[in-house]
Amino acid sequence: MLSVYKINTFPPSANSRGGEAEFEGTYRKGELRGIITINQDNCVGCDTCRSFCPTDAIEGSLGIAHRIDQNLCVACGQCLINCPFAVIEQMSFVDEVMAKLEDKKTFVVAHPSPAVRVSLAEEFGGKPGELTINKMYNALEMAGFNMYDVNFAADHTILEEGTELIKKIKYWLLGERSPDLEHVSHHPFPHFTSCCPAWVRNAEIFHPELIPHISGAKSPIQMGGPLAKTWAAKFVWNKDPRDIYVATVTPCTAKIYEASRPEFNSAYQYLKETGEIPADTKSFPDIDATLTARDIAEIFRKKGINPLEMSDEYPEKTMNVYTGAGTIFGNSGGVMEAALRTAYFLLSGQELRDPELTPVRGYDKDLTEAVIPIPLKDYGGKTLELKVAVVNGASRNLGTILKHITKDSNRYHFIEVMNCPGGCVNGGGQPVHAMGTSWLHPLLPLPLKA
């Protein structure tokens, strides 16, 4: 049986959201900082972490305790999961969520990401990659959560991002002009995905010239928060949205930062504008707390719940319905593949003969390039060759792709960037193995057997 490292955590402090200034360094008022920190008392200065940081945010030399420059940190946690001495620590909302679960008035919603269902078992002695969808649902409900699967929201993301891509194709490649396409005239190719919060923060700090190229679609988690507090509150759960507390369960530590971005209070804005909540209601975020896979395992342990011992039977419920396209978001190339499926169908008027677009999968490649032929139904079947690329790990390949598009802005139409090698399945919030972590292998845990 494989063992996992215990990662030390700490609750957010009074200073974690900064002061009253609108900007402090690279952070806006209210944004969480210091999500990932290095324990200065225990760091031996082995320097392993520096090679995994995509933004050179780690300072220090061999033999001297390292530290993180928080203004440069994108909170991806790659340093944490690759530290061979487990001395890098993570901000955690476990205590806050536990208190909410005990509050009878609060309707606590668990919003689990696709990559958690294939990693949670490892925290309880299961095999790497063991699928625990229904067991996880049952464990979450036993702990007091109400279910809302992120995959449901991921399908909404694909509709949004796929439509955005189609509009760009029509405007920039096919020369169509209409009021509906006017807004994309300010957002040229190449088109970048936006689901990875570490990549988005990286672009905002270091490559602001790329911002017009990045999709305007929110990540699935940030689409899910407003849906939970508006549509689902009214039509599914019949709850006052002010009593709903959404805790996302994610493989990603950068999602902790993303949830604190001040613009992500869409539900509050909508409910106030429509008069569904009193005008003097204090603003609330779309996502109230972000738990990593390790955090939710800690909550289960505190409550004496082992998800591997739960039933594998679970009834179909409205908030957990989703397609396979939503599920593959967890893997490098997944967002690209899902968006291309939608674009292909809407542009060609036909389903893909084989929906598995394996050329864009970045599972074992640092950088993937492909050309996807798409027949155009409105252009007499003329074939569009869509040029795409998948960046599988920002620390190794982001610089390469930026050099490519600087030399030739027409080299790609669509680029997926996932900060973590392998995508979300290798995120900074996943279980950390004592052996077989990515500091030994660049992508996945070693294929050790118990």
Side-chain angles (χ1 to χ4, degrees):
M1 184 176 73
L2 291 174
S3 60
V4 294
Y5 270 1
K6 166 69 175 175
I7 300 297
N8 290 326
T9 61
F10 54 90
S13 70
N15 299 322
S16 295
R17 293 182 186 272
E20 292 302 313
E22 290 300 316
F23 294 95
E24 293 179 8
T26 59
Y27 295 90
R28 292 174 292 170
K29 182 180 177 182
E31 289 181 333
L32 285 168
R33 66 253 8 224
I35 292 167
I36 306 294
T37 62
I38 298 176
N39 186 316
Q40 296 291 291
D41 294 331
N42 296 330
C43 177
V44 299
C46 72
D47 215 31
T48 303
C49 54
R50 283 164 57 93
S51 63
F52 292 94
C53 178
T55 58
D56 293 327
I58 299 176
E59 302 172 340
S61 54
L62 275 173
I64 299 175
H66 288 28
R67 63 177 293 276
I68 298 174
D69 183 336
Q70 294 296 336
N71 279 320
L72 304 182
C73 179
V74 294
C76 66
Q78 280 297 302
C79 57
L80 182 155
I81 64 170
N82 289 293
C83 174
F85 300 99
V87 300
I88 302 183
E89 303 178 352
Q90 172 224 310
M91 183 183 292
S92 170
F93 285 81
V94 164
D95 292 342
E96 180 178 308
V97 173
M98 289 283 288
K100 292 294 180 183
L101 288 170
E102 297 302 317
D103 179 3
K104 300 301 181 186
K105 185 184 178 186
T106 303
F107 188 81
V108 184
V109 176
H111 199 33
S113 300
V116 174
R117 70 204 63 209
V118 293
S119 66
L120 182 60
E122 297 168 43
E123 285 282 337
F124 296 89
K127 299 175 182 176
E130 184 174 347
L131 193 61
T132 58
I133 302 173
N134 290 341
K135 291 177 183 289
M136 179 183 71
Y137 286 172
N138 284 318
L140 287 166
E141 289 194 345
M142 177 173 280
F145 292 97
N146 299 276
M147 285 304 308
Y148 176 17
D149 200 306
V150 169
N151 287 13
F152 183 112
D155 282 335
H156 289 86
T157 300
I158 279 308
L159 288 174
E160 181 74 20
E161 186 151 347
T163 301
E164 190 178 26
L165 175 63
I166 290 168
K167 288 184 175 181
K168 280 192 172 184
I169 289 172
K170 289 183 174 180
Y171 187 91
W172 290 104
L173 301 183
L174 302 177
E176 294 186 19
R177 296 291 183 269
S178 70
D180 185 48
L181 300 177
E182 178 55 32
H183 72 285
V184 298
S185 67
H186 306 292
H187 302 279
F189 281 121
H191 182 64
F192 283 85
T193 56
S194 59
C195 292
C196 173
W199 147 239
V200 172
R201 178 164 160 78
N202 188 327
E204 288 176 330
I205 298 174
F206 301 101
H207 311 286
E209 73 280 6
L210 294 180
I211 291 175
H213 296 260
I214 298 175
S215 171
K218 293 180 182 178
S219 70
I221 284 174
Q222 289 302 330
M223 286 201 184
L227 282 169
K229 294 184 177 182
T230 56
W231 172 77
K234 188 172 185 178
F235 298 109
V236 181
W237 298 318
N238 191 27
K239 294 291 180 183
D240 186 327
R242 293 170 295 176
D243 294 334
I244 294 178
Y245 180 92
V246 180
T248 187
V249 184
T250 169
C252 175
T253 46
K255 290 290 182 187
I256 300 172
Y257 162 77
E258 183 188 59
S260 72
R261 294 181 66 118
E263 68 269 32
F264 289 150
N265 66 344
S266 302
Y268 165 76
Q269 296 290 350
Y270 171 81
L271 293 165
K272 195 171 71 167
E273 290 171 9
T274 57
E276 295 180 55
I277 56 175
D280 60 353
T281 302
K282 186 179 178 183
S283 178
F284 51 78
D286 294 326
I287 298 294
D288 297 280
T290 299
L291 300 170
T292 64
R294 298 186 297 268
D295 289 336
I296 195 63
E298 182 66 12
I299 288 178
F300 287 154
R301 282 191 284 267
K302 285 177 180 287
K303 287 181 169 289
I305 298 170
N306 183 341
L308 299 186
E309 296 174 353
M310 303 301 293
S311 168
D312 204 23
E313 299 294 325
Y314 187 86
E316 184 172 282
K317 296 183 181 180
T318 301
M319 302 306 290
N320 300 332
V321 175
Y322 55 86
T323 71
T327 303
I328 59 177
F329 266 54
N331 191 45
S332 177
V335 177
M336 169 71 72
E337 186 169 351
L340 288 176
R341 290 178 186 176
T342 299
Y344 187 95
F345 175 74
L346 294 176
L347 288 169
S348 71
Q350 54 190 288
E351 296 281 4
L352 275 164
R353 187 170 301 173
D354 181 358
E356 296 195 9
L357 293 169
T358 54
V360 305
R361 293 183 183 178
Y363 179 77
D364 57 354
K365 298 176 184 174
D366 291 349
L367 176 62
T368 300
E369 298 173 294
V371 176
I372 308 298
I374 302 177
L376 303 171
K377 64 178 180 181
D378 295 333
Y379 288 81
K382 173 186 172 183
T383 298
L384 168 72
E385 293 193 333
L386 196 68
K387 296 176 285 189
V388 304
V390 174
V391 176
N392 183 10
S395 63
R396 291 195 296 271
N397 298 307
L398 190 55
T400 302
I401 207 85
L402 294 179
K403 287 179 183 176
H404 287 337
I405 63 175
T406 299
K407 292 179 180 177
D408 179 6
S409 61
N410 295 316
R411 178 160 176 158
Y412 308 112
H413 299 121
F414 191 15
I415 301 172
E416 176 193 297
V417 180
M418 284 295 174
N419 179 86
C420 300
C424 304
V425 291
N426 196 33
Q430 293 285 62
V432 180
H433 291 280
M435 288 292 292
T437 54
S438 56
W439 69 281
L440 293 172
H441 186 284
L443 284 176
L444 296 169
L446 293 173
L448 299 178
K449 294 182 180 179

